[in-house]
C-alpha cells in the first residue's frame, strides 16, 4: 500500500509566483473582460480540488453557480453582487463560500488572488462546459 501524506500548498503559489496562464472565461460570462488569469492546482483528489487563482481586473457573471466554492482571499478585492442586488466585499484574509446555485457578478481588482476549494467532479464538469478545461 502506498503511504498517504498531507499535501502542502507551495508558498510561492500563495504569493502569486509560478502560476500558469489558463484559458479565459467565455466572453458572454465577462461583463467587464479579464485580460488574463492564472492558476496552480496544488491538490486534486476524488472529492476535492484546491488551487490558487489569480486574475487581472475584471468581472465574471455566474448564473446558477454549478458548485460550492470555498474561497480565501490572498490579495486584492472581490465584490460579489448577487442577482437580487446584495453586495458583499471581501479582501485579503477573508474567507467565504459562494454556494452552489448562486447567481450574480464577481468583480476582481487590485492584483486579485485567491485560494479555492471545489468538489472535483462539479469543477471538472463546469470547466468543460465553459471551455476552460484546457
Amino acid at each position: 500500500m502506498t503511504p498517504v501524506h498531507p499535501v502542502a500548498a507551495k508558498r510561492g503559489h500563495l504569493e502569486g509566483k509560478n502560476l500558469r496562464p489558463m484559458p479565459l472565461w467565455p466572453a458572454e460570462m465577462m461583463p467587464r473582460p479579464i485580460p488574463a488569469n492564472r492558476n496552480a492546482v496544488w491538490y486534486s483528489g476524488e472529492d476535492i480540488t484546491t488551487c490558487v487563482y489569480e486574475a487581472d481586473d475584471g468581472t465574471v457573471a455566474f448564473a446558477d453557480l454549478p458548485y460550492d466554492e470555498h474561497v480565501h482571499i490572498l490579495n486584492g478585492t472581490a465584490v460579489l453582487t448577487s442577482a437580487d442586488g446584495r453586495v458583499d466585499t471581501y479582501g485579503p484574509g477573508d474567507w467565504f463560500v459562494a454556494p452552489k446555485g448562486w447567481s450574480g457578478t464577481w468583480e476582481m481588482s487590485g492584483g486579485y488572488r485567491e485560494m479555492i476549494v471545489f468538489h472535483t467532479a462539479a469543477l471538472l464538469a463546469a470547466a468543460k462546459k465553459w471551455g476552460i478545461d484546457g
Side-chain angles (χ1 to χ4, degrees):
M1 178 179 207
T2 303
V4 177
H5 301 284
V7 180
K10 292 182 179 176
R11 180 141 323 266
H13 291 156
L14 298 174
E15 296 169 350
K17 298 173 186 166
N18 302 313
L19 302 178
R20 293 178 311 221
M22 60 178 282
L24 293 175
W25 298 94
E28 64 272 12
M29 288 181 68
M30 291 192 293
R32 189 171 71 128
I34 297 169
N37 49 188
R38 300 150 293 282
N39 79 340
V41 175
W42 56 275
Y43 177 80
S44 188
E46 182 179 341
D47 294 317
I48 65 168
T49 294
T50 189
C51 67
V52 174
Y53 171 80
E54 182 176 79
D56 294 345
D57 291 2
T59 305
V60 179
F62 293 98
D64 194 20
L65 190 68
Y67 44 69
D68 292 311
E69 181 173 348
H70 180 252
V71 180
H72 177 203
I73 305 292
L74 301 170
N75 195 66
T77 303
V79 178
L80 279 68
T81 304
S82 297
D84 65 2
R86 176 179 159 164
V87 177
D88 293 288
T89 302
Y90 303 98
D94 290 338
W95 295 83
F96 67 93
V97 171
K100 183 177 180 177
W102 178 77
S103 295
T105 59
W106 193 311
E107 179 182 357
M108 295 166 273
S109 63
Y112 185 74
R113 188 175 337 104
E114 63 183 10
M115 183 177 68
I116 41 184
V117 180
F118 305 93
H119 179 261
T120 299
L123 172 64
L124 294 175
K128 184 174 183 176
K129 175 183 172 185
W130 295 329
I132 59 172
D133 58 341

